[in-house]
Amino acid sequence: MANPTIRLANIEDVPLIQHLANEIWPLVYDYMISSEQIYFMLNKMYSPEAITEQMQVLNHKFIILQTTERSFGFASFHHIDAHTFRLNKLYLHPSQQGKGWGKLLLNHVVEEAKHHGAKTLELNVNKNNTSIAFYKANGFGIEKEEVIDIGNGFVMDDYVMRLQL
């Protein structure tokens, strides 16, 4: 398989991002949250309307990780303020994990944040997510805990992690 490339997504990629989320989420979150919460969150955060709003109204930049054969993952990020970037999403199909491709996506976001003068990159991650070890190995530290009510009786029980750039 060819080495992956990363490209900036545009509005025409909304169906691809939705497809990737629907493919990846049930595989990676099945041990963390209920299937009811997975599908509630997918419908809330990855409907075409929600992705379009993230791109066009909230100014989230999406990047796609792909090979010549297919797309395997994506990330999104945005400015919080002049000195802080937020990594909103970083998802890689489980079949492609352990190949350094998640680090490739993360490094792309880190470089983008530095390019725009950010001093900090932050993210939220579920407290039970095995990717916490990935983020720690890449220099992130846990700053605080946060419980976010997302509606329908569901919460996100997260750590906020930060990387000093």
Side-chain angles (χ1 to χ4, degrees), residues 9-53:
N10 57 46
I11 203 69
E12 288 79 28
D13 291 308
V14 167
L16 172 61
I17 293 165
Q18 182 183 32
H19 170 77
L20 286 168
N22 284 324
E23 184 178 28
I24 294 169
W25 266 57
L27 299 173
V28 300
Y29 282 110
D30 69 331
Y31 70 93
M32 283 180 261
I33 58 178
S34 69
S35 58
E36 292 82 12
Q37 183 168 346
I38 290 170
Y39 292 106
F40 173 79
M41 291 176 73
L42 280 170
N43 289 330
K44 181 178 179 128
M45 296 169 22
Y46 291 100
S47 68
E49 298 79 17
I51 298 167
T52 299
E53 178 184 14

Side-chain angles (χ1 to χ4, degrees), residues 135-149:
Y135 291 119
K136 283 183 174 180
N138 283 282
F140 284 81
I142 295 173
E143 292 293 315
K144 63 181 179 178
E145 298 180 14
E146 187 170 70
V147 177
I148 303 165
D149 184 340

